[in-house]
Amino acid sequence: MEIKTKFTMGDDIYFTTRYGIRHGRVTNFHISPTNLVRLEMGGILHFDIKVTYDTDNYEDLYEEYCFSTKKELIDYLIGSELPMS
């Protein structure tokens, strides 16, 4: 199984907080399974992946709300729909 993330260590990212648009450099990331679908015998048939990033000042930033540029983030904010999680 191969898991690809949107960003890697050291990448600059843009995101929002209750204080507005913020910028940071990825210092860590976490990958965890969600929505496990179990078989009757106890095995796992399917699961989704949740990726979160940490920066120097912020933690647990969901991947779908992190962007490479400020323009991408602003376009998302004035755009249409929220991403599906």
Side-chain angles (χ1 to χ4, degrees), residues 1 3 19 35-36 38 41 43 53 56-57 66 76 79 82:
M1 169 191 283
I3 298 173
Y19 304 109
N35 302 325
L36 298 176
R38 296 189 180 274
M41 297 167 276
Y53 297 98
D56 291 337
N57 299 316
C66 294
Y76 167 76
L82 292 172

Side-chain angles (χ1 to χ4, degrees), residues 3 7-8 20-21 41 44-45 51 60-63 67 75 79 81:
I3 298 173
F7 302 103
T8 62
I21 293 176
M41 297 167 276
I44 296 175
L45 177 65
V51 178
D60 294 329
L61 301 165
Y62 289 101
E63 182 173 64
F67 299 87
D75 288 347
E81 303 175 21

Side-chain angles (χ1 to χ4, degrees), residues 10-23:
D11 285 353
D12 289 325
I13 59 173
Y14 291 84
F15 49 92
T16 60
T17 69
R18 62 181 162 177
Y19 304 109
I21 293 176
R22 296 291 183 247
H23 171 260

Side-chain angles (χ1 to χ4, degrees), residues 23-52:
H23 171 260
R25 182 161 287 156
V26 175
T27 58
N28 200 3
F29 61 91
H30 308 273
I31 299 171
S32 54
T34 63
N35 302 325
L36 298 176
V37 176
R38 296 189 180 274
L39 299 171
E40 288 182 21
M41 297 167 276
I44 296 175
L45 177 65
H46 171 79
F47 60 91
D48 295 325
I49 297 288
K50 176 182 84 170
V51 178
T52 58

